[in-house]
Amino acid sequence: MTSAPSPVTDSSVTLLGLGRMGSALAGALLDAGSRTVVWNRTAGKADALAARGAVPAGSAGEAIRASPLVVVCLLDYDNVRAMLEPNAGTLAGRTLVNLTTGTPEQAAALADWAGAQGARYLDGAMMAVPQTVATPDAFFLYSGSWEAFDAHRSTLDRLATSHYLGPDASVAELWDTALLGSGYAALAGFLHSAALLDSAGVAPTRFLPLALRWLNGMLAFMPELAREIETGDYSHGVSPVEMNRAAVHNLIEVSSRHGVDAGVHVPLLELLDRRIADGRPADSFASIVEVLRKRRD
C-alpha cells in the first residue's frame, strides 16, 4: 500500500516511470539526498526504491502534485500522453522534464501541450545506459525552457552531465537521433566483423583488442571529416571515395564467400557508387555527406 506524499517542497523531485532506466534515475536522486517521490503503473516496482527512502505515490496525479520538478521516463510518447493528459490540471507552475525517447516532432508537440497547461517543459535525451547513470560516462541533452533548466540544473546534474542545446524543445531529440545513428552504425559493424571472424573460428574476445584499437583510430579521423564537411573542400582528403569503394566492395564479397550477411554495409557501397557516378571519385570519404543530405536553400 502506498501512502500519500506530504505537500510539495522545493527540494522534492517526482520520478514517473520505474523501468530499468527510471529506477536508475530514482536511485541516483536518492543517493544525492533528494526527496524522491516515485510512481509506476505497476506499483510493485516502487518497493525496492521505497526501502531506500523513496516516497511511493498512489497515482500519477498525486506524484505530480508532490514536487515542483517532475521527471518522466516511460517507454514512448504515447505512454507519456496517456499518463499526463488525465492529470493536466496538476501541471501548472511545475517543471516537466521528459526523458522518454521520441522524435523531434513529438517533443515539440508535447512542449506546446505542456505550456498550455502552465508548465515549463524540458525535453531530454539520455546518452547513457542504466549502469552509467550518475557516473562520468553518462551525459544527458536538454532543450526547451532555459528558465527550467537553469532552475533545476543542480538536480539534473546528479543524473548525468547536462548539456543545454537551446530553447527549441525538439532539438534534443534530433541530437539524440544523430548520436544513436553513429553508435548503431559502429555496433552493427562490430557485430558483422564478429560474424565474419566466427566463420574462421575466431572468438569475439580475441578480436576485441584490435577492433578497439582500430575504432579509436577511426575516432581520431573524425575531426578531419568534420573540417572537410564544414568547409565543403573534399579535394585534399587522404581517404578518397574510389579507394573506399574498392574496400567496401571487397568486404561484401569476402563476407558472401564466408556465408556472412553483409547487408549492414551494402548501403555504404551504394552511396560510394553514387558519388563516383557524380564524377567525384577522388573526393574524400567525407564527401558522401553531399549524397546523404538534401540541400537547404
Side-chain angles (χ1 to χ4, degrees):
M1 179 180 296
T2 60
S3 58
S6 57
V8 61
T9 65
D10 289 343
S11 62
S12 181
V13 183
T14 285
L15 199 295
L16 302 173
L18 299 176
R20 289 190 64 209
M21 200 64 171
S23 294
L25 298 174
L29 292 170
L30 289 169
D31 289 343
S34 295
R35 178 180 181 273
T36 306
V37 178
V38 296
W39 174 86
N40 193 76
R41 185 171 56 184
T42 303
K45 286 192 174 182
D47 292 348
L49 291 164
R52 296 174 56 187
V55 182
S59 68
E62 186 179 278
I64 293 168
R65 288 190 294 270
S67 307
L69 175 60
V70 178
V71 180
V72 183
C73 184
L74 298 178
L75 177 64
D76 56 34
Y77 272 70
D78 288 341
N79 280 281
V80 174
R81 287 279 197 168
M83 183 267 297
L84 288 178
E85 288 179 355
N87 297 291
T90 66
L91 291 170
R94 289 174 169 77
T95 291
L96 179 65
V97 179
N98 182 28
L99 296 177
T100 303
T101 299
T103 68
E105 293 75 17
Q106 288 175 319
L110 188 58
D112 289 343
W113 179 84
Q117 314 314 313
R120 298 186 300 186
Y121 182 83
L122 270 178
D123 200 83
M126 302 181 289
M127 311 315 297
V129 292
Q131 59 267 34
T132 62
V133 167
T135 76
D137 292 330
F139 64 96
F140 288 5
L141 311 175
Y142 296 98
S143 60
S145 168
W146 163 254
E147 293 76 16
F149 179 77
D150 188 48
H152 296 289
R153 179 165 189 173
S154 61
T155 298
L156 298 177
D157 278 341
R158 295 169 184 169
L159 306 176
T161 303
S162 302
H163 296 273
Y164 180 73
L165 302 175
D168 183 343
S170 71
V171 170
E173 293 297 342
L174 185 63
W175 278 62
D176 180 42
T177 303
L179 288 166
L180 286 174
S182 295
Y184 281 135
L187 291 176
F190 174 74
L191 295 177
H192 173 266
S193 298
L196 182 59
L197 286 176
D198 180 68
S199 71
V202 178
T205 51
R206 182 182 172 197
F207 170 60
L208 183 62
L210 290 182
L212 292 174
R213 184 173 178 180
W214 176 245
L215 288 173
N216 282 328
M218 292 289 190
L219 293 176
F221 187 41
M222 284 187 181
E224 176 65 14
L225 299 180
R227 184 196 64 77
E228 291 174 353
I229 293 168
E230 286 194 13
T231 63
D233 182 1
Y234 307 111
S235 61
H236 303 293
V238 298
S239 184
V241 166
E242 192 171 42
M243 181 185 74
N244 283 284
R245 196 271 175 197
V248 176
H249 176 268
N250 289 341
L251 172 59
I252 293 170
E253 287 292 308
V254 170
S255 299
S256 179
R257 288 197 297 271
H258 285 75
V260 176
D261 188 338
V264 295
H265 297 295
V266 170
L268 176 57
L269 181 64
E270 293 172 349
L271 292 170
L272 292 162
D273 283 341
R274 287 169 62 186
R275 194 62 179 162
I276 290 172
D278 288 340
R280 314 297 300 195
D283 280 2
S284 78
F285 183 78
S287 71
I288 294 172
V289 74
E290 301 296 339
V291 181
L292 289 167
R293 67 186 176 188
K294 294 180 179 178
R295 281 294 182 187
R296 296 177 294 274
D297 296 328

